[in-house]
C-alpha cells in the first residue's frame, strides 16, 4: 500500500515528539527563604548539582508578586558560588530598588552560557523560583555581564515566552536568528578594550531598524574588567524596566 511508509514515518515523528515532551522536567519546588542573601544547592533533572545564590528583597510578602531577575556571571574559573560573588557586588546593589528576587547560578561544566546544559539549567532555575515564590510572570529579567551578557543574548532570545526583558552588560554582541520581541537594554562602555563598543552599537541600530523595543546605555571611562564600576549604569535601568513592564 503506497501510503503505508508515509504513515509509519508520521507515526515515528509523533512518537519522538511525545517522548521529547514527556522528558521535559517539571518545575521543582525550592525551599522558600526569607529576606536576605542565601547560597543554595539544587539537583537538576540531569542529576547534576547546581550552585546558585539568591537574594530575597526586604519586605517580601507572598501575597504580593515581585519581579524576578536571573543574573549570569562573567567568564573565569567557576569556583562554588562564582555567580554569587558577582551578584553580591554588582547586580544586587544595582537592582535593589526594583524590589526583585535576584538569583545567580553557576555555569556548569566549565562551559559558557550558550551550551545546552547551561541554557537548560537557567530555564530550570527560573521556573523553579517562579514555582516556589510569588513572582509576577510579566516581570522576569535575564541579565549578565561579559560572558553572561553573551548568554543573555542567546538564552533570552530563544525563550521570549519566559523572559519579559533582557539586559546584556558588556557582552558579545550576538542575538542569533530570533526576532526580538521583548524589551532589551544594551549596557556597554565606549572604553571596552575586550569587546568593542561598535559591535554593541551596530546590533542596537539593527534591532531598532527591525522595530524592536531596544535601548542603548553608553558608559564612558570604564574598561571591561572594571566590573564594579557598572553598578551605577545598571541602577539607571530600574526606571526603564518599570516603564516597559508597566506598558505590557
Amino acid at each position: 500500500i503506497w501510503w503505508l511508509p508515509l504513515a509509519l514515518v508520521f507515526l515515528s515523528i509523533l512518537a519522538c515528539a511525545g517522548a521529547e515532551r514527556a522528558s521535559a522536567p517539571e518545575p521543582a519546588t525550592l525551599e522558600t527563604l526569607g529576606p536576605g542573601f542565601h547560597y543554595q544547592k539544587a539537583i537538576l533533572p540531569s542529576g547534576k548539582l547546581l550552585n546558585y545564590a539568591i537574594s530575597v528583597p526586604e519586605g517580601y510578602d507572598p501575597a504580593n508578586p515581585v519581579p524576578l531577575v536571573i543574573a549570569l556571571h562573567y567568564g573565569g574559573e567557576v569556583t562554588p558560588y562564582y555567580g554569587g560573588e558577582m551578584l553580591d557586588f554588582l547586580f544586587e546593589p544595582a537592582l535593589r530598588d526594583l524590589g526583585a528576587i535576584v538569583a545567580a547560578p553557576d555555569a556548569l561544566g566549565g562551559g559558557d552560557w550558550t551550551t545546552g546544559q547551561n541554557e537548560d539549567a537557567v530555564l530550570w532555575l527560573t521556573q523553579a523560583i517562579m514555582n516556589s515564590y510569588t513572582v509576577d510572570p510579566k516581570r522576569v529579567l535575564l541579565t549578565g555581564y561579559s560572558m553572561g551578557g553573551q548568554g543573555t543574548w542567546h538564552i533570552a532570545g530563544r525563550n521570549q515566552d519566559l523572559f519579559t526583558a533582557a539586559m546584556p552588560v558588556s557582552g558579545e554582541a550576538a542575538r542569533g536568528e530570533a526576532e526580538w520581541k521583548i524589551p532589551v537594554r544594551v549596557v556597554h562602555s565606549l572604553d571596552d578594550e575586550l569587546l568593542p563598543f561598535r559591535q554593541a552599537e551596530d546590533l542596537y541600530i539593527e534591532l531598532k531598524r527591525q522595530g524592536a523595543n531596544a535601548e542603548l546605555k553608553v558608559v564612558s571611562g570604564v574598561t571591561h574588567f572594571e566590573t564594579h564600576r557598572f553598578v551605577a549604569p545598571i541602577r539607571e535601568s530600574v526606571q526603564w524596566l518599570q516603564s516597559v513592564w508597566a506598558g505590557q
Side-chain angles (χ1 to χ4, degrees), residues 53-97:
I54 184 168
S55 174
V56 180
E58 291 295 329
Y60 169 73
D61 181 352
N64 300 312
V66 297
L68 172 63
V69 176
I70 302 296
L72 308 182
H73 63 68
Y74 34 57
E77 182 183 356
V78 184
T79 53
Y81 303 109
Y82 192 63
E85 172 188 302
M86 179 203 66
L87 181 61
D88 185 41
F89 77 82
L90 182 61
F91 283 108
E92 191 284 324
L95 298 175
R96 188 174 297 158
D97 291 344

Side-chain angles (χ1 to χ4, degrees), residues 109-210:
D112 63 41
W113 292 109
T114 65
T115 66
Q117 68 171 350
N118 277 321
E119 179 177 356
D120 289 346
V122 169
L123 299 181
W124 181 90
L125 180 62
T126 303
Q127 293 168 333
I129 293 173
M130 295 176 71
N131 196 47
S132 307
Y133 294 83
T134 307
V135 171
D136 183 350
K138 295 183 179 180
R139 295 186 289 166
V140 182
L141 169 71
L142 184 63
T143 186
Y145 189 91
S146 191
M147 183 180 85
Q150 179 191 34
T152 299
W153 283 117
H154 178 78
I155 297 174
R158 289 160 52 90
N159 297 277
Q160 297 183 63
D161 56 336
L162 178 61
F163 300 103
T164 62
M167 183 172 60
V169 183
S170 298
E172 182 178 352
R175 69 177 185 90
E177 300 300 321
E179 178 185 355
W180 209 263
K181 298 178 181 178
I182 62 175
V184 56
R185 182 177 173 91
V186 183
V187 181
H188 213 98
S189 176
L190 287 167
D191 301 287
D192 192 316
E193 75 283 19
L194 184 65
L195 300 172
F197 173 81
R198 181 61 183 271
Q199 295 180 8
E201 183 181 40
D202 287 348
L203 178 52
Y204 161 74
I205 292 171
E206 174 63 17
L207 288 173
K208 294 294 287 186
R209 187 187 68 80
Q210 295 178 8

